[in-house]
């Protein structure tokens, strides 16, 4: 029995709930919530426990493991973040080394802080098209491993990136395992990979030790649902599982878990039926996008960075090389004129996320909106695809002590005055959530420029207070 079936049966035929939650599966102020409350329960007889799954939840997790090709899979109900924290803190601790790509999500940096491990940064090359981060090369990982001793080490990379760029996971996994290191892949945006023949391979099947995937991002599952896949040969796998109980709520939502299990069942039964037309829709869209005269859509043949091994076409990245429309303006045009809400906007491009749930009509609507917008552009295109300059610190050891910096006394100063100062907090431009500034690190001129440009362009900048940045005044003024 799938979890959703058991919850529905319990709602309709179960005994009276003298237990949590307090709505007692019925009391709500509207009909929609009342329906959801009916299947919202706590750990009761026959419903297992996510933190020690042996029954119906374990069966659901095993079904997911079989679908995604994992040795072991666990449900996450607080997003991919909980899995990332558990993966890092379960594989390295104080005195160990953790190698992370510069474009990792903020949660990875938080995991490094909590683990106490010494961080070493790999800086991926940038893509010329839209100036976004490319993939990570196996050679860069090997170089980093050679510079971090022979102790316990974990490598963390993001693949696919928010924009869909995929690294050579098989090659990186081989390098890691030859050097006794654990490979953790943040595949929050790649849960769908490998589920059809036309999709790039999943990092689960490419040799990664731990893979975290946000099923709510690209598959039909509820927001906040994710999976962590653990290889049977992963060193520290038992510690990773113990850490899951540290970073996940002790009251996991059965509604969210049922959503994951329902998605698994749908893909088991109808996977090809859903993915085949989706691939055809993508083929049609990209073929027609070649007719756009000014707007550019990111494609695999436009990738330039050495580490960019493949591209997830489901992430449609669109920009205007003529600079007539910035990414934020393009986002606004799509929303206000065509009723299309993009996933996000950067300075020079907008990102439209697709999935198997998108219809023929949805793809047609997006293309027509882009085509009509393209027709309004009269300027000549420049040779480049885009224009935002990403932070390009080189590879190497981070001298910053993130935890120490977060607990130091801080002062707030104007961003334009912050070059050379030591950051006391993260500053992150959303989305995708990659820190522009890391606590304890020296603030560069490039970061100052990027923050100011992002503010000017109306992007969401998190970590400032009334437009000012937090710095460790004592350190920065005497350094």
């Amino acid at each position: 029995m799938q979890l959703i079936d058991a919850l529905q049966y319990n709602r309709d035929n179960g005994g009276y709930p003298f237990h949590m939650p307090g709505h007692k599966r019925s009391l709500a102020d509207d009909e929609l919530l009342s329906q959801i409350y009916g299947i919202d329960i706590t750990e009761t007889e026959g419903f297992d426990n996510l933190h020690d799954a042996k029954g119906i939840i374990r069966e659901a997790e095993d079904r997911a493991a079989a679908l995604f090709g994992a040795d072991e899979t666990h449900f996450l109900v607080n997003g991919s973040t909980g899995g990332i924290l558990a993966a890092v803190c379960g594989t390295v601790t104080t005195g160990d080394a953790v190698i992370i790509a510069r474009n990792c999500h903020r949660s990875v940096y938080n995991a490094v802080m909590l683990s106490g491990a010494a961080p070493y940064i790999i800086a991926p090359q940038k893509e010329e098209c839209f100036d976004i981060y490319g993939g990570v090369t196996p050679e860069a990982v090997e170089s980093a491993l050679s510079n971090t001793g022979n102790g316990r080490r974990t490598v963390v990379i993001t693949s696919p990136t928010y924009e869909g760029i995929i690294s050579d996971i098989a090659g990186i996994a081989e390098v890691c395992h030859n050097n006794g290191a654990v490979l953790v892949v943040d595949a929050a945006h790649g849960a769908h990979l490998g589920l059809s023949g036309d999709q790039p391979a999943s990092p689960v099947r490419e040799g990664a030790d731990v893979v975290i995937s946000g099923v709510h991002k690209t598959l039909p599952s509820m927001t906040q649902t994710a999976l962590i896949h653990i290889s049977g040969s992963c060193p520290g796998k038992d510690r990773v599982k113990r850490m899951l109980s540290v970073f996940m709520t002790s009251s996991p939502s059965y509604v969210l878990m049922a959503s994951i299990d329902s998605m698994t069942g749908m893909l088991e039964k109808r996977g090809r039926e859903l993915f085949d037309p989706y691939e055809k829709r993508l083929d049609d869209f990209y073929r027609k996008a070649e007719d756009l005269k000014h707007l550019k859509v990111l494609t695999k043949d436009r990738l330039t960075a050495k580490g960019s091994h493949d591209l997830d076409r489901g992430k449609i990245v669109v920009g205007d090389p003529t600079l007539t429309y910035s990414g934020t303006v393009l986002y606004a045009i799509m929303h206000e004129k065509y009723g299309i809400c993009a996933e996000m906007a950067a300075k020079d491009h907008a990102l439209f996320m697709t999935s198997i749930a998108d219809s023929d009509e949805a793809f047609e609507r997006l293309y027509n909106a882009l085509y009509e917008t393209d027709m309004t552009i009269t300027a000549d295109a420049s040779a480049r695809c885009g224009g935002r300059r990403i932070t390009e610190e080189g590879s190497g050891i981070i001298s910053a002590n993130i935890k120490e910096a977060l607990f130091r006394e801080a002062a707030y100063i104007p961003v334009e005055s912050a070059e050379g100062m030591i950051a006391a907090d993260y500053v992150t431009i959303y989305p995708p959530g990659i820190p522009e500034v890391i606590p304890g690190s020296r603030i560069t001129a490039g970061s100052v420029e990027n923050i100011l440009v992002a503010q000017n362009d109306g992007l969401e900048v998190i970590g400032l207070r009334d437009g000012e940045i937090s710095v460790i005044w004592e350190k920065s003024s005497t350094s």
Side-chain angles (χ1 to χ4, degrees):
M1 180 179 288
Q2 282 196 291
L3 188 53
I4 187 67
D5 299 323
L7 291 172
Q8 290 173 336
Y9 181 86
N10 183 71
R11 176 196 63 195
D12 299 335
N13 302 281
Y16 186 82
F18 275 113
H19 56 71
M20 300 183 291
H23 56 60
K24 299 303 179 103
R25 303 203 303 263
S26 61
L27 184 58
D29 221 14
D30 61 78
E31 183 179 351
L32 177 61
L33 276 181
S34 181
Q35 292 174 13
I36 297 171
Y37 283 2
I39 60 169
D40 182 31
I41 66 168
T42 188
E43 292 87 350
T44 59
E45 181 66 28
F47 280 92
D48 210 354
N49 187 314
L50 180 60
H51 292 275
D52 186 27
K54 296 174 182 175
I56 193 168
I57 295 176
R58 180 70 264 160
E59 293 169 4
E61 291 179 327
D62 288 344
R63 280 194 292 273
L67 176 68
F68 291 97
D71 293 333
E72 187 173 342
T73 294
H74 298 276
F75 287 177
L76 302 172
V77 292
N78 57 341
S80 299
T81 294
I84 289 169
L85 295 174
V88 174
C89 292
T91 55
V92 287
T93 187
T94 303
D96 299 332
V98 57
I99 297 164
I100 58 177
R102 178 63 184 85
N103 61 327
C104 280
H105 188 265
R106 172 175 171 163
S107 60
V108 174
Y109 290 88
N110 284 333
V112 171
M113 175 190 70
L114 293 170
S115 73
Y120 185 101
I121 288 286
I122 297 175
Q125 289 182 354
K126 69 177 182 179
E127 287 291 340
E128 293 177 6
C129 198
F130 309 129
D131 213 13
I132 56 180
Y133 282 107
V136 174
T137 66
E139 293 79 11
V141 173
E142 188 152 35
S143 175
L145 288 168
S146 69
N147 285 302
T148 52
N150 297 312
R152 190 161 46 196
R153 294 165 295 174
T154 288
V155 175
V156 187
I157 66 169
T158 301
S159 181
T161 65
Y162 204 164
E163 298 83 7
I165 294 174
I166 295 170
S167 297
D168 179 6
I169 299 300
I172 293 171
E174 182 179 4
V175 167
C176 288
H177 298 155
N178 288 343
N179 287 273
V182 175
L183 175 59
V184 174
V185 178
D186 174 3
H189 289 273
H192 61 295
L193 296 183
L195 292 178
S196 81
D198 292 324
Q199 291 287 335
S202 165
V204 175
R205 299 180 186 272
E206 293 282 277
D209 295 292
V210 183
V211 177
I212 301 97
S213 59
V215 289
H216 73 97
K217 295 182 185 296
T218 59
L219 290 175
S221 188
M222 290 180 72
T223 296
Q224 214 169 297
T225 56
L227 299 171
I228 182 169
H229 307 289
I230 307 173
S231 167
S233 59
C234 171
K237 64 179 180 179
D238 291 333
R239 290 192 301 274
V240 172
K241 288 187 281 185
R242 288 199 295 271
M243 287 296 105
L244 286 174
S245 288
V246 172
F247 294 111
M248 271 205 300
T249 175
S250 59
S251 301
S253 166
Y254 275 81
V255 176
L256 296 182
M257 290 188 285
S259 176
I260 301 174
D261 195 28
S262 179
M263 173 209 70
T264 300
M266 178 194 301
L267 294 176
E268 283 176 334
K269 299 170 189 172
R270 302 172 53 203
R272 185 161 186 174
E273 171 193 336
L274 293 167
F275 271 98
D276 283 356
Y278 173 55
E279 296 295 342
K280 182 179 181 301
R281 290 170 192 135
L282 288 172
D283 288 340
D284 290 344
F285 176 86
Y286 280 95
R287 176 180 51 78
K288 291 191 295 186
E290 294 176 3
D291 295 333
L292 296 174
K293 293 184 176 1
H294 304 287
L295 295 177
K296 295 296 181 186
V297 178
L298 184 63
T299 56
K300 185 176 179 180
D301 60 5
R302 287 193 168 118
L303 298 179
T304 58
K306 186 178 179 183
S308 298
H309 182 70
D310 208 340
L311 183 69
D312 171 18
R313 299 187 305 156
K315 315 290 193 308
I316 298 176
V317 182
V318 184
D320 175 13
T322 72
L323 307 183
T324 299
Y325 299 129
S326 67
T328 50
V329 171
L330 187 60
Y331 181 104
I333 291 172
M334 293 295 110
H335 185 262
E336 295 168 11
K337 186 174 180 179
Y338 298 99
I340 292 172
C341 189
E343 167 68 18
M344 73 93 165
K347 180 180 184 299
D348 59 336
H349 65 272
L351 170 61
F352 302 85
M353 287 185 66
T354 69
S355 81
I356 56 175
D358 290 310
S359 63
D360 290 339
E361 292 76 17
F363 273 92
E364 189 69 18
R365 181 174 178 177
L366 175 60
Y367 175 75
N368 288 340
L370 292 173
Y371 179 81
E372 288 183 15
T373 304
D374 185 69
M375 295 293 288
T376 68
I377 300 172
T378 57
D380 292 330
S382 60
R384 59 197 176 90
C385 282
R388 187 175 88 83
R389 183 162 67 89
I390 61 173
T391 302
E392 289 192 83
E393 292 93 341
S395 300
I397 297 170
I398 298 180
S399 58
N401 186 316
I402 299 174
K403 184 184 293 185
E404 178 187 339
L406 286 170
F407 281 88
R408 291 291 299 274
E409 291 296 323
Y412 283 87
I413 64 172
V415 174
E416 53 265 30
S417 303
E419 181 182 350
M421 300 292 187
I422 303 298
D425 199 356
Y426 293 102
V427 177
T428 307
I429 301 172
Y430 274 91
I434 300 168
E436 182 65 46
V437 170
I438 302 165
S441 64
R442 193 171 298 280
I443 301 170
T444 66
S447 288
V448 168
E449 179 185 349
N450 284 341
I451 293 168
L452 293 173
V453 168
Q455 287 181 300
N456 185 63
D457 288 342
L459 301 180
E460 186 176 11
V461 181
I462 295 179
L464 304 179
R465 187 179 74 179
D466 296 328
E468 294 190 325
I469 191 169
S470 176
V471 300
I472 301 172
W473 187 263
E474 298 89 349
K475 278 191 174 183
S476 58
S477 61
T478 58
S479 58

